[in-house]
Structures are given as structure tokens and as C-alpha cells.
Amino acid sequence: MMKHILLPTDFSKNAWLAIRYALKLYKNERCVFYILNVFSATSNIVDSLLNMEPGSELYENARIDSEDGLVKILNTITLMENKSAEHSFVPISVFNNPLEAIKNVVEEKDIEMIVMGTRGETNSRKLVYGRTALNVMEKVRNCPVIVVPEQAKQKLPQEIVFPTSYKTHFKRRELKHMVDVAKTCKASIRILHIVKQSKLNKKQLDNKKLLERAFEEIDYSFHALSHMEIPTAINCFVESRNSDMIAFINKKHAFFGSILAQPLVKDLAYHSKVPILVMHDLRN
């Protein structure tokens, strides 16, 4: 079965490393990769949308730069060693707001996964995530995303850390993408609970059993840390085990509020090194 994967790029180094990561992750699967570049005339997308008309010099110059950049990426992929014969590539150049363009392609091309960098050329080095990456993780709720930091190792995940409070009910289809990645990479899933109470209540125990059933076809184990703040606990666990990926289900009004809330994202230092898989609560 053919997979449809979206690879947004702004032609930055981080975006290229995310493309390479995706090609490696799906090396043994039949895939169509849609490589998307969203262009504008200026760094201010609002000004561009208001002032750039198709056919104008500004618009045409930006379009040509976008299309030329995509050709260079395709040529580079063609020259790569060990490229898969099972992969095909479709370049997409579009004038739009990046978030809206990504949403549109996800809908039109029936995208199953987005793989992108954490930040682009214009983002501050002091920021863990750029605005586009944050918006995609938070607002593209009908498609999971793997966000690849520039410092991430270019290797397939062998251990995926899945933090959970056990307070929310999981459905198998919400966890499917994490299970698929684990199967593809023969990776283990480590379920991490940051203990806030001495014992799990009945609802939490029931939800823990749901995870056992969802992960029955892969290697998994349960872990707990206590007396630590959530970001610190996740960071310590990942670093101590040299884990390769973090997976979250972004449930609105539930799991730690929103796991992607700005203060928490800022505190999670491991984001500079480890890819993160963000899935979504399908009921929201």
C-alpha cells in the first residue's frame, strides 16, 4: 500500500535534514513524497498576501526561486546513494500562508504523515521551535507530524518514549502511527508515567490496560518517575537511556493541559536533539 508523506521545506539545512530522515524512515516502504515550498515576496506574509499579484515581478521572482529550489532538492535526491526505487516525489510550489498551505495539501493529497524541521532560516537560534513547526503540531489536527531537530542523529529510532498520565482514554487508531513507526524500525516503546499520586485510580488502571492491548504486537515496558517536574522527568529519562524519539498525543484540555504549551516546549531541552512524533486526539 502506497504511503503519502508531506515534506515541507524552506530550503534551510534543518528542512533538508528532515527530508533525509524521512527517506531513511520509510526506506523499505512504497511512498509518494510531496515536497512543499510555500513562497512569499517578503518575510511579512500578510504584506505579501495583500500586495503580491500573480504576474507581478515580485510574485514571479518568488515563484521562480521556489521552483528552482525544489528542482535542486529533487536533483540532490536523485544523486543520493542507496535511494529507494519504491519512492516517488512530487514538488509543490505555492503562494500562501505556510500553515494554510500545509493544511490544504494534507486534505488534497490524503497525507498520512508530515515530516519537517523544527525551525527554518528565519527563526532565532534561541528558539527550540519555529512558529510554523509549532502551528503544525498544534493546529493540523487531522495528520500526525514528526518534527526533526537540526541536531538529531540521522538514525532510525530504536526506543520511543511515550509519556502519559493514564488519565485519558486512548483509542488504537490514535496510537496507530506510533505503533507503525515502532514496527517499521523494530523499535521499543517505553511508556513513562510522571507520578503525582501514590497510586493509580481505577480509571488510570483501565487506561493502562488499554495501552497493553494496543502495544501487544511490539516490545514495550512501563516506567515511572516521581518527585520531578514533567519536563525535567522526560528530559532525564530520555538522556539517561539515550532514547531516539518522543511521542505525544496532543489532547486538547487534557494531557497536562496541552503538552505543546509554550512554557513546556521551552523547558524541554531534549527537543534540540530528539525527533518528536505528535499525534492527535481524534475526538477533538
Side-chain angles (χ1 to χ4, degrees):
M1 186 174 175
M2 188 77 75
K3 287 185 178 295
H4 294 250
I5 312 297
L6 176 59
L7 307 176
T9 180
D10 62 353
F11 308 130
S12 64
K13 178 183 177 183
N14 193 184
W16 169 245
L17 292 175
I19 290 172
R20 284 180 52 189
Y21 187 90
L23 299 183
K24 186 171 290 187
L25 182 63
Y26 294 104
K27 181 178 179 180
N28 297 318
E29 300 192 50
R30 295 178 64 226
C31 296
V32 179
F33 292 99
Y34 296 90
I35 305 179
L36 170 68
N37 176 252
V38 183
F39 67 89
S40 60
T42 68
S43 58
N44 187 323
I45 186 65
V46 175
D47 285 348
S48 291
L49 290 171
L50 289 174
N51 299 320
M52 273 179 69
E53 290 288 335
S56 70
E57 185 177 357
L58 279 176
Y59 180 96
E60 292 303 321
N61 287 341
R63 179 184 62 79
I64 290 169
D65 287 345
S66 173
E67 292 175 356
D68 287 349
L70 289 171
V71 168
K72 288 177 183 177
I73 288 177
L74 293 176
N75 288 341
T76 303
I77 291 171
T78 300
L79 295 172
M80 288 174 66
E81 294 182 10
N82 304 317
K83 61 180 179 293
S84 173
E86 298 294 320
H87 292 170
S88 59
F89 301 90
V90 178
I92 301 175
S93 173
V94 64
F95 175 66
N96 202 344
N97 169 283
L99 178 62
E100 291 306 312
I102 289 169
K103 284 183 175 181
N104 290 342
V105 176
V106 166
E107 285 291 336
E108 292 167 8
K109 306 300 183 184
D110 195 22
I111 299 296
E112 298 163 61
M113 181 70 74
I114 303 164
V115 184
M116 65 187 298
T118 52
R119 60 191 178 199
E121 293 285 10
T122 59
N123 292 127
S124 168
R125 284 289 175 193
K126 296 178 181 178
L127 297 176
V128 176
Y129 284 129
R131 186 180 296 110
T132 299
L134 277 172
N135 281 338
V136 171
M137 287 188 285
E138 196 73 52
K139 296 177 181 178
V140 183
R141 300 197 61 83
N142 58 340
C143 185
V145 56
I146 296 174
V147 183
V148 184
E150 190 170 325
Q151 302 302 318
K153 295 177 182 177
Q154 285 284 319
K155 68 169 188 173
L156 298 182
Q158 295 302 298
E159 181 170 283
I160 303 169
V161 177
F162 179 54
T164 177
S165 64
Y166 299 127
K167 290 181 179 179
T168 49
H169 178 88
F170 294 115
K171 292 184 178 293
R172 282 179 183 265
R173 60 199 178 106
E174 292 173 343
L175 300 164
K176 177 183 181 297
H177 297 285
M178 176 169 46
V179 172
D180 286 349
V181 170
K183 286 181 177 179
T184 296
C185 302
K186 297 181 173 58
S188 303
I189 293 178
R190 306 305 177 202
I191 303 151
L192 176 62
H193 176 51
I194 293 91
V195 178
K196 295 294 183 181
Q197 307 159 214
S198 56
K199 290 184 179 180
L200 299 179
N201 59 33
K202 183 180 184 305
K203 180 181 178 182
Q204 287 175 303
L205 290 170
D206 288 343
N207 289 333
K208 186 175 180 180
K209 288 179 181 177
L210 284 174
L211 289 178
E212 291 177 355
R213 292 196 291 273
F215 296 148
E216 61 189 359
E217 296 180 359
I218 53 180
D219 180 53
Y220 70 91
S221 56
F222 291 101
H223 304 263
L225 291 175
S226 59
H227 309 297
M228 300 176 78
E229 292 299 314
I230 291 165
T232 304
I234 297 172
N235 194 21
C236 288
F237 188 82
V238 169
E239 288 195 354
S240 67
R241 300 179 61 89
N242 200 26
S243 305
D244 310 295
M245 179 178 280
I246 319 296
F248 294 120
I249 289 187
N250 190 26
K251 287 177 174 283
K252 284 188 176 179
H253 314 300
F255 174 50
F256 310 136
S258 168
I259 192 66
L260 298 173
Q262 286 279 6
L264 187 55
V265 168
K266 187 177 179 181
D267 289 341
L268 291 173
Y270 65 73
H271 282 181
S272 63
K273 302 175 185 176
V274 180
I276 177 171
L277 166 61
V278 179
M279 301 162 288
H280 295 285
D281 180 354
L282 297 178
R283 289 160 291 187
N284 283 321

